[in-house]
Amino acid sequence: MSDLYEVAIIGSGPAGMSAAGQAAKRGLSHVLLEKTDHLSDTIYKYQKGKHVMATPSNLQLRAGGYEEGAGGGMEFDEGKREFILDTWDRQVAEMGVNVEYNAEVVEVSGEKGDFTLKTKAGATFRAKTIILGIGTQGNPNKLRCPGADHPMITSQLDDPADFHDTHITVVGTGDAGIENALGLSEEALGNTVTILNRGTDFAKAKQRNADLLQAAHDDGKLQIRFKTSPAEVRDGEMVLETETGQETIPCNTIIARIGSQPPRKFIEAMGVEFTSEDRSAFPILSPVFESTKPGIFVIGALAGYPLIKHCMNQGYDVVEYLATGESPKPADEPLLEEVFAGLPGNKPVDHWLEVYQKNVDIFKGLSTLQMRELMLDSTCTAFAPGEVIFRRNEQGSSLFAIAQGSVAVEVDPNDPSITVPIGQGSIFGEVGLISGRRRGSTIRAAEETVVVELSRKAALKLIGSSPEANETVKRISIERQILQMFGSGLTPDDIAPLVASAQTEEVRAGQVVIQEGDDDKDLFILRFGSMLVEKAIGDRQIFLSYLPAGTFFGEMAVIDGSKRTATVKASVKSEVIRLPGDGFLELLDKKPQLRERALEVMADRRRTTDFIESQKDSVDNALELYTETAKFLSEQGIGEATDALLIDEKLCIGCDNCERACADAHEGLSRLDREAGKSFAHLHVPTSCRHCEHPHCMADCPPNAIQRGPDGEVSINAETCIGCGNCKSNCPYGVIRMDPVPPKKPSLLSWLFFGSGPGPGEASYSWRKSHGDPDLAKKAIKCDMCAGIDGGPACVRACPTGAAIRVAPDKFLTFAKITEDVED
Amino acid sequence: MASVAGNRFKQDERRRNADHVSFLKHRRFRWLWIALMLCIVTGLGYAMIDQEPRPNGGSWYGYTLGTIGLLLIVWLSLLGVRKRKITTGQWSLKAWTSAHVYLGLALIVVGTLHTGFQIGWNVHTLAYFLMLLVIISGIYGVIAYATLPSTLSSNRKEMTRAEMLDALTALDRQLESAAQPLGREQTDLVIAALEQDVFYGGAWGRLTGTYPGCKTNRALARISESGSEAEERVHALLVKRADQLGQIRRHLRIRALLEVWLFIHIPATIALLAALLAHVVSVFYYW
Ligand SMILES: Cc1cc2nc3c(=O)[nH]c(=O)nc-3n(C[C@H](O)[C@H](O)[C@H](O)COP(=O)(O)OP(=O)(O)OC[C@H]3O[C@@H](n4cnc5c(N)ncnc54)[C@H](O)[C@@H]3O)c2cc1C
Ligand code: HEM
Ligand code: SF4
Ligand code: SF4
Ligand code: SF4
């Protein structure tokens, strides 16, 4: 039996490695168990030469400042991947860290004081405590066929150029597999690439990738094999299971991109609990990072902290706690002091943490650790009575909570004196958070008020990790949405029964919510997403209109008891609130004002329907064009857009002035690819950001660098972006590119007269490369709607013919706009 | 919809610059009306003001017309700078182009009246005819802008230029292997087709879309469709190649037609500015 270590650290990423370094310095008996044969596999796998960023820049690195014992601790600063890995390798050796490579831990048993860890290779280790820093990458899935361990199988492709003139099979048609296959099938490499698809479609991949792959197949660059799966892997060949039987193809390398197993199951098996069933949930942790299984500590990305600096600090903190029984003053203390600096009374961090936690309902279920983390991503502000917190129609997707005081909501745009109060402990701004749309009303402080503004990311994380918070936000938002939608004159009491019977439902893109001709009688409120309304006219389904989030529908059948007169289906993933028709009718009976408003909306919609129906005999088939165009635009993501660039190809002369203007307005890189993208009836949707209502790109940005700005633009903060590329892979429209800031160009005049420099527009790659600083990091760039530029988006201003226009779907997806004749 | 929460559309639409009309129809033909007014006013002035000894550039009215014309021409020339310098502010190139076209046309009236219909072999008349040359090329340009874009887009079929070339390269690779079993003579035909520069044909070929020396067509004519299996396959691929080349060439042709007039419009503008300088200097010198 092996020795009993004080601590076993699993995973040698920045978190685990920093913990091990600190343990070595403290003279704690320890072992660092690493799955691979090198340290820090996630960073090892970054692209060669990647410039690693050290954000947040104002956060101090713990270990680096530690002066006792063995001297300076594990270092980390911004720099090239190779340099950082070399430094860590050297330091780990110098500090005498006890590392076991090729030691993938597969099983943990025992209790605090005596855990037993088994590795895949069969070795066992014993330790009193465990620090778990295995990151979130998980284990790549293996092929399920004989030969799955064959050395020619890999789950990763660093550089397609490493392979040439060879037979390669890619298994899996998700985005990763498709991108690899496309890269490998590059003409110059001379590879024979086959990609296997178990089914017949590419449901797991982005449409754009699927299209590219199909095109590559059609061009003979590679071969897609549908309904085909691996049957056996042998030296130099691979047996395929096809519809018509087995077939053997030559094969020297297999790239298996069939997803990976998140580490959750493995961790749960140790007895560690997670905050919820949600896929994005994290383990429940105490303020000292101890999990629900005593003696097991969780740090790093797995604990919900994806930035390297955070990871390293936590490793340090946990070991300090184990060594001294006391946790050091958290490294984020100075940051939190900054967060609370604007609040009155000069109170310490702990005071405010307590006030917020005690007073705000949605914070009740949180641990101190969660509180700290939440507040770090938030803004705390005190308002004087009467001061405006936000205004109607301002852009904003953050959530506010009131810690002290109360606010007044101006519910009537025409009369600011009509207000509704929201009291201490409650929240506001939730509509913006959920729908991604502008603020519905102006809110002022009613007295001395202290609030916290949670960024969208922080708010979503809170909702995802605390079931109580989730419930509360849901209930309040339904109530408020109903109040807001049906106008003034209603009180929360009036609608209480309706709210109680409301149900929220998720709707897939394309799913039908209301079917024409049915006689169900529910009313729906669109919480987020958007809907397309269609009607059968003659033998065709005709597009009637587009419904943005924050609207209601289904009122006609409820009010006049008729059958459904149109079909309503989701254009993107959406969420609706279903209200029983009876409850709504009761409310109408009680509130004549409300009935009037509902009738107004109904009459308005009838007019649209009648108008469109009246077009059915028009000679030029305008209805057909309208319906097809609306369908096309919605497929191109305009349904979830807030502001998108379209090009009318009846006017576009192909001068590319729009691209040049974009580049010149933004440090020399164009964020728009005019030619790429789809067209229908001469309407072209170029590859350019649509500023989605719920931007997919924001979902997984470690430093939270993507934000929505005051004009509604979704923009990336170049200061804090670490260049990880997550946003690029998350954007379904392929509009994000990764590039370093290009060098400055000589002025326009010196180009005009002396021909110096590359001239207007984006300089060629080779010019940028030869004139630029090779050490600049690649960052994510995309359209920011020319934020901050007086005059607005340069692309449309620079178009000589009027071909380039920017549109909002609610305004553009109408009959008048789509069938507009722009020619002379 | 009446119940949309946020309604900041006016502001947003303004920022978005969302009015979907062409430069010709910009702001309900605002600049057309302004240009027409300019023509009518200057025409009436010409008819009604008694110019001594006879209407020409030397009378006070002639000077007025000359100044207007000169300023217009200088301003019209600045479009070349405006187009390349994306400064901030509420301007759009569409509005500039719209004004450019209509005010440029108005110059026919203003300039002609300024001459007082005195034509001769001198620098003054040279300037006048250069101006007409610029304007006529401009008129061609507007016609091209109004009629060609939709053919450009139909021909493109959602492909980018790079994709068209890639598609050709892919076909070439297939052709190369498909041609292996062919005889010497036929192989040479295929190789010649593959080796020919995609952009061969020069400016004339581009503009007219005629490529008499196209080696792909030549190979196509000589490799039979109903020969051996290999010939059949090569033939089919050559048809595809010819189609792909056709698309690229049509693209080049339309682009060329959209641009060729600028090769007159811009140099003639520069010559015009030089001639105007000489014209003005000589007028003041001999005054
Ligand atoms: C492309 C990319 C770029 C990024 N760029 C930056 C950047 O510039 N700056 C920044 O701050 N952050 C960046 N990040 C985020 C950062 O790299 C990670 O969040 C961070 O590495 C997480 O550290 P960790 O220690 O928690 O886990 P990881 O670094 O993921 O390390 C986990 C380690 O555990 C090992 N392991 C896993 N399972 C077991 C097991 N069962 N037994 C034993 N060992 C195991 C793994 O092999 C691995 O070495 C980037 C991320 C990506 C993907
Ligand atoms: C004497 C009068 C004129 C002068 C000096 C003049 C000058 C210019 C200049 C310098 C440009 C910029 C070209 C470039 O840089 O790409 C231009 C563009 C253009 N001109 Fe004129 N022009 C004149 C009259 C006209 C007229 C009468 C018309 C039309 C009827 C016209 C139509 C155009 C058009 C359509 C463009 C292209 C705009 C674009 O693509 O950006 N011009 N002109
Ligand atoms: S980058 Fe992509 S996901 Fe993000 S807002 Fe733009 S289009 Fe939407
Ligand atoms: S903006 Fe994109 S590349 Fe930059 S850190 Fe965020 S997700 Fe990563
Ligand atoms: S500037 Fe206008 S005309 Fe020129 S390429 Fe762009 S959209 Fe087309």
Side-chain angles (χ1 to χ4, degrees):
Chain A
M1 206 68 214
S2 52
D3 314 333
L4 181 63
Y5 292 106
E6 278 301 321
V7 49
I9 299 149
I10 313 181
S12 68
M17 183 193 55
S18 146
Q22 192 60 20
K25 268 181 355 193
R26 279 281 180 184
L28 224 54
S29 74
H30 67 278
V31 59
L32 175 60
L33 302 169
E34 166 56 46
K35 176 169 73 174
T36 62
D37 61 1
H38 46 257
L39 291 175
S40 203
D41 190 45
T42 301
I43 289 156
Y44 186 87
K45 279 186 187 153
Y46 289 176
Q47 208 175 30
K48 289 192 187 92
K50 176 180 185 317
H51 191 90
V52 183
M53 311 290 294
T55 42
S57 52
N58 52 354
L59 180 70
Q60 271 192 359
L61 195 63
R62 265 339 201 0
Y66 185 65
E67 286 304 328
E68 290 165 54
M74 301 292 308
E75 281 167 28
F76 170 61
D77 209 346
E78 190 174 324
K80 288 249 174 299
R81 160 190 174 273
E82 289 69 17
F83 173 76
I84 287 164
L85 290 174
D86 285 349
T87 311
W88 286 345
D89 280 341
R90 182 173 46 76
Q91 285 194 305
V92 162
E94 279 171 7
M95 288 179 180
V97 174
N98 176 25
V99 198
E100 290 281 341
Y101 292 108
N102 301 314
E104 176 179 358
V105 177
V106 289
E107 198 189 310
V108 172
S109 55
E111 297 297 328
K112 180 173 179 171
D114 191 1
F115 287 109
T116 303
L117 299 85
K118 274 212 187 76
T119 72
K120 195 171 167 193
T124 52
F125 297 87
R126 287 171 57 223
K128 293 187 183 162
T129 43
I130 292 179
I131 297 178
L132 204 53
I134 59 174
T136 49
Q137 306 285 350
N139 281 327
N141 287 334
K142 283 195 176 163
L143 300 182
R144 267 173 308 203
C145 67
D149 286 320
H150 198 284
M152 75 184 184
I153 305 177
T154 156
S155 60
Q156 163 153 24
L157 176 67
D158 289 320
D159 186 356
D162 293 345
F163 295 88
H164 48 84
D165 304 306
T166 181
H167 290 267
I168 304 176
T169 309
V170 178
V171 186
T173 43
D175 285 316
I178 294 181
E179 276 160 23
N180 287 172
L182 289 173
L184 289 164
S185 65
E186 223 23 80
E187 216 81 51
L189 299 177
N191 292 319
T192 310
V193 180
T194 310
I195 179 164
L196 309 187
N197 184 344
R198 238 182 334 162
T200 52
D201 59 5
F202 303 102
K204 283 207 214 100
K206 288 184 225 163
Q207 190 56 43
R208 188 183 140 78
N209 273 334
D211 291 347
L212 286 175
L213 185 70
Q214 190 63 51
H217 173 83
D218 295 343
D219 291 347
K221 283 189 184 167
L222 50 72
Q223 208 192 358
I224 314 176
R225 311 269 318 224
F226 291 100
K227 292 202 174 168
T228 304
S229 42
E232 192 182 342
V233 179
R234 304 188 202 131
D235 285 335
E237 60 185 29
M238 187 175 184
V239 186
L240 305 179
E241 185 73 54
T242 72
E243 267 198 303
T244 48
Q246 291 204 337
E247 188 184 331
T248 305
I249 59 167
C251 175
N252 312 107
T253 300
I254 296 175
I255 307 212
R257 300 307 297 254
I258 44 179
S260 58
Q261 212 53 56
R264 179 159 175 171
K265 271 214 191 87
F266 167 58
I267 298 160
E268 279 178 330
M270 299 178 196
V272 173
E273 286 165 32
F274 280 65
T275 50
S276 75
E277 284 304 309
D278 208 65
R279 266 178 47 128
S280 55
F282 297 107
I284 301 174
L285 298 177
S286 77
V288 292
F289 298 99
E290 189 160 8
S291 68
T292 50
K293 172 86 178 175
I296 298 187
F297 295 77
V298 182
I299 56 177
L302 186 62
Y305 294 83
L307 289 173
I308 296 172
K309 265 190 177 173
H310 285 145
C311 295
M312 294 184 66
N313 282 350
Q314 288 166 358
Y316 172 96
D317 286 356
V318 167
V319 170
E320 281 302 281
Y321 171 73
L322 291 178
T324 64
E326 233 174 275
S327 49
K329 199 172 177 204
D332 53 19
E333 191 80 4
L335 297 184
L336 275 176
E337 274 165 19
E338 261 173 60
V339 170
F340 295 130
L343 299 182
N346 227 347
K347 300 273 175 41
V349 167
D350 286 338
H351 167 81
W352 285 116
L353 280 176
E354 204 188 309
V355 169
Y356 276 105
Q357 173 137 37
K358 245 185 34 211
N359 292 1
V360 176
D361 296 342
I362 54 170
F363 295 164
K364 295 250 159 83
L366 299 185
S367 69
T368 322
L369 183 65
Q370 280 173 309
M371 261 318 273
R372 294 189 83 96
E373 192 202 333
L374 190 70
M375 298 314 267
L376 272 180
D377 273 343
S378 309
T379 319
C380 294
T381 327
F383 290 93
E387 216 177 325
V388 172
I389 301 178
F390 59 66
R391 287 182 197 282
R392 177 186 299 268
N393 288 336
E394 248 172 33
Q395 194 71 48
S397 54
S398 52
L399 180 72
F400 288 81
I402 309 174
Q404 288 174 347
S406 66
V407 302
V409 187
E410 293 177 8
V411 282
D412 188 339
N414 304 316
D415 185 356
S417 66
I418 306 180
T419 62
V420 171
I422 298 179
Q424 176 166 317
S426 191
I427 54 168
F428 57 95
E430 74 293 333
V431 176
L433 170 73
I434 290 158
S435 72
R437 296 200 166 239
R438 295 182 183 284
R439 302 295 190 192
S441 26
T442 300
I443 294 194
R444 294 174 188 274
E447 51 191 303
E448 296 288 348
T449 303
V450 172
V451 302
V452 55
E453 177 179 4
L454 304 179
S455 70
R456 182 177 148 78
K457 185 177 171 186
L460 292 181
K461 204 164 165 184
L462 169 67
I463 293 175
S465 59
S466 157
E468 296 100 313
N470 186 17
E471 256 325 292
T472 315
V473 173
K474 215 170 209 166
R475 184 177 44 72
I476 294 182
S477 70
I478 291 178
E479 178 186 302
R480 302 245 177 94
Q481 201 143 23
I482 296 177
L483 283 177
Q484 189 176 21
M485 192 165 319
F486 296 140
S488 55
L490 287 180
T491 65
D493 289 340
D494 292 334
I495 59 165
L498 205 55
V499 174
S501 55
Q503 279 175 319
T504 57
E505 283 168 28
E506 260 194 29
V507 196
R508 277 175 291 109
Q511 189 180 331
V512 170
V513 182
I514 290 182
Q515 177 74 49
E516 184 176 358
D518 282 0
D519 51 11
D520 52 321
K521 296 273 180 300
D522 285 338
L523 180 79
F524 296 89
I525 295 176
L526 184 50
R527 235 155 94 85
F528 72 75
S530 59
M531 297 279 152
L532 304 176
V533 188
E534 294 177 349
K535 185 173 176 57
I537 297 182
D539 51 359
R540 289 172 297 176
Q541 272 301 103
I542 295 298
F543 176 77
L544 282 184
S545 62
Y546 165 92
L547 298 179
T551 43
F552 60 86
F553 56 94
E555 78 290 347
M556 286 192 197
V558 177
I559 295 178
D560 60 15
S562 59
K563 282 193 184 343
R564 298 292 191 190
T565 56
T567 298
V568 181
K569 63 180 190 196
S571 95
V572 290
K573 183 171 159 241
S574 309
E575 196 173 292
V576 296
I577 307 172
R578 182 193 284 270
L579 301 174
D582 304 337
F584 183 60
L585 280 178
E586 268 166 41
L587 189 63
L588 288 188
D589 287 339
K590 274 192 272 179
K591 298 277 162 187
Q593 257 171 305
L594 177 57
R595 172 179 293 275
E596 229 163 80
R597 253 188 62 58
L599 288 176
E600 241 170 64
V601 172
M602 215 168 99
D604 210 42
R605 290 183 176 168
R606 281 250 161 81
R607 266 195 298 278
T608 312
T609 312
D610 291 347
F611 170 75
I612 287 180
E613 223 160 339
S614 73
Q615 298 291 313
K616 72 166 174 248
D617 300 320
S618 68
V619 263
D620 52 353
N621 259 341
L623 270 191
E624 195 103 315
L625 178 71
Y626 171 56
T627 298
E628 294 296 318
T629 309
K631 208 162 84 194
F632 161 74
L633 288 176
S634 144
E635 273 161 18
Q636 294 309 309
I638 304 303
E640 62 174 324
T642 60
D643 192 310
L645 176 66
L646 297 184
I647 292 178
D648 185 337
E649 290 199 328
K650 289 199 292 280
L651 295 174
C652 174
I653 54 170
C655 63
D656 281 334
N657 221 36
C658 41
E659 278 188 22
R660 274 196 291 273
C662 179
D664 285 346
H666 295 99
E667 328 176 296
L669 291 176
S670 171
R671 288 106 206 277
L672 128 81
D673 187 342
R674 175 187 62 86
E675 273 191 316
K678 302 255 176 210
S679 318
F680 178 79
H682 296 301
L683 203 55
H684 179 63
V685 185
T687 299
S688 158
C689 178
R690 287 116 163 99
H691 302 278
C692 303
E693 226 152 54
H694 288 281
H696 311 273
C697 53
M698 271 188 199
D700 196 10
C701 172
N704 204 8
I706 309 182
Q707 299 293 344
R708 196 181 274 284
D711 286 311
E713 74 277 6
V714 174
S715 63
I716 298 178
N717 181 340
E719 294 287 305
T720 54
C721 167
I722 56 175
C724 67
N726 286 357
C727 52
K728 183 178 164 164
S729 37
N730 285 336
C731 169
Y733 307 110
V735 307
I736 298 182
R737 57 187 281 194
M738 310 290 302
D739 264 303
V741 177
K744 247 189 128 39
K745 292 187 294 190
S747 75
L748 181 64
L749 280 182
S750 54
W751 170 76
L752 263 179
F753 293 124
F754 312 113
S756 55
E762 179 170 314
S764 67
Y765 177 73
S766 54
W767 189 86
R768 283 184 276 137
K769 191 153 171 132
S770 59
H771 289 73
D773 173 358
D775 284 337
L776 277 182
K778 278 190 186 175
K779 304 228 171 173
I781 58 171
K782 68 171 209 57
C783 164
D784 60 359
M785 248 156 79
C786 288
I789 296 181
D790 176 32
C795 48
V796 283
R797 282 195 292 140
C799 176
T801 64
I805 52 172
R806 299 201 69 92
V807 304
D810 358 10
K811 279 291 139 114
F812 197 76
L813 289 174
T814 61
F815 187 80
K817 275 283 182 193
I818 288 184
T819 56
E820 193 166 48
D821 182 16
V822 292
E823 283 185 313
D824 16 294
Chain B
M1 241 11 74
S3 44
V4 179
N7 250 314
R8 215 189 66 150
F9 280 120
K10 258 207 208 104
Q11 231 167 313
D12 283 348
E13 292 277 293
R14 187 179 139 88
R15 196 181 145 79
R16 267 196 284 272
N17 207 337
D19 57 332
H20 185 196
V21 288
S22 73
F23 67 104
L24 290 175
K25 280 209 287 189
H26 175 71
R27 295 277 151 93
R28 301 169 183 240
F29 299 101
R30 170 190 289 179
W31 291 102
L32 172 61
W33 297 120
I34 293 176
L36 275 178
M37 285 303 295
L38 181 65
C39 291
I40 292 169
V41 169
T42 49
L44 282 178
Y46 187 84
M48 280 151 59
I49 293 167
D50 193 14
Q51 300 177 65
E52 285 301 324
R54 58 148 298 167
N56 76 9
S59 68
W60 72 264
Y61 188 63
Y63 275 122
T64 311
L65 289 178
T67 313
I68 297 177
L70 180 71
L71 289 177
L72 270 179
I73 289 177
V74 170
W75 179 80
L76 289 166
S77 312
L78 287 177
L79 182 65
V81 179
R82 172 79 294 176
K83 192 173 171 179
R84 292 175 179 79
K85 195 145 179 74
I86 294 299
T87 51
T88 56
Q90 288 290 341
W91 58 271
S92 80
L93 197 63
K94 173 164 82 169
W96 271 69
T97 316
S98 187
H100 181 94
V101 166
Y102 293 121
L103 293 179
L105 286 172
L107 258 186
I108 304 180
V109 174
V110 176
T112 307
L113 294 179
H114 170 67
T115 65
F117 301 96
Q118 284 179 318
I119 307 287
W121 289 106
N122 52 34
V123 65
H124 318 299
T125 308
L126 173 69
Y128 179 66
F129 278 103
L130 279 173
M131 183 190 85
L132 287 185
L133 181 62
V134 175
I135 294 177
I136 290 168
S137 60
I139 293 175
Y140 166 86
V142 168
I143 296 174
Y145 280 20
T147 53
L148 296 177
S150 49
T151 53
L152 186 68
S153 123
S154 319
N155 178 60
R156 209 160 67 76
K157 298 206 186 69
E158 300 186 339
M159 280 170 103
T160 65
R161 280 161 288 192
E163 282 166 1
M164 293 182 204
L165 292 175
D166 282 352
L168 196 68
T169 322
L171 281 172
D172 288 359
R173 216 166 23 107
Q174 293 177 41
L175 261 172
E176 215 165 291
S177 51
Q180 298 299 340
L182 296 186
R184 173 69 197 266
E185 204 178 315
Q186 289 179 318
T187 316
D188 284 348
L189 283 170
V190 174
I191 291 177
L194 296 187
E195 278 177 353
Q196 191 171 40
D197 185 4
V198 185
F199 300 109
Y200 115 93
W204 183 251
R206 241 180 225 218
L207 273 172
T208 56
T210 50
Y211 296 85
C214 172
K215 301 245 166 73
T216 304
N217 284 333
R218 209 172 108 105
L220 200 49
R222 299 188 188 185
I223 296 177
S224 156
E225 184 175 2
S226 48
S228 67
E229 203 174 305
E231 276 174 325
E232 235 173 78
R233 193 168 143 62
V234 169
H235 184 89
L237 282 169
L238 280 172
V239 170
K240 279 196 193 168
R241 187 174 205 274
D243 282 349
Q244 188 51 60
L245 263 183
Q247 185 193 27
I248 295 174
R249 287 173 179 168
R250 276 190 305 276
H251 186 83
L252 291 176
R253 171 150 194 262
I254 305 169
R255 283 301 312 265
L257 288 173
L258 279 166
E259 272 170 9
V260 45
W261 62 283
L262 283 170
F263 288 96
I264 299 173
H265 203 70
I266 299 175
T269 298
I270 294 169
L272 169 62
L273 289 174
L276 276 176
L277 187 67
H279 162 69
V280 173
V281 167
S282 69
V283 164
F284 280 95
Y285 190 75
Y286 292 112
W287 196 29

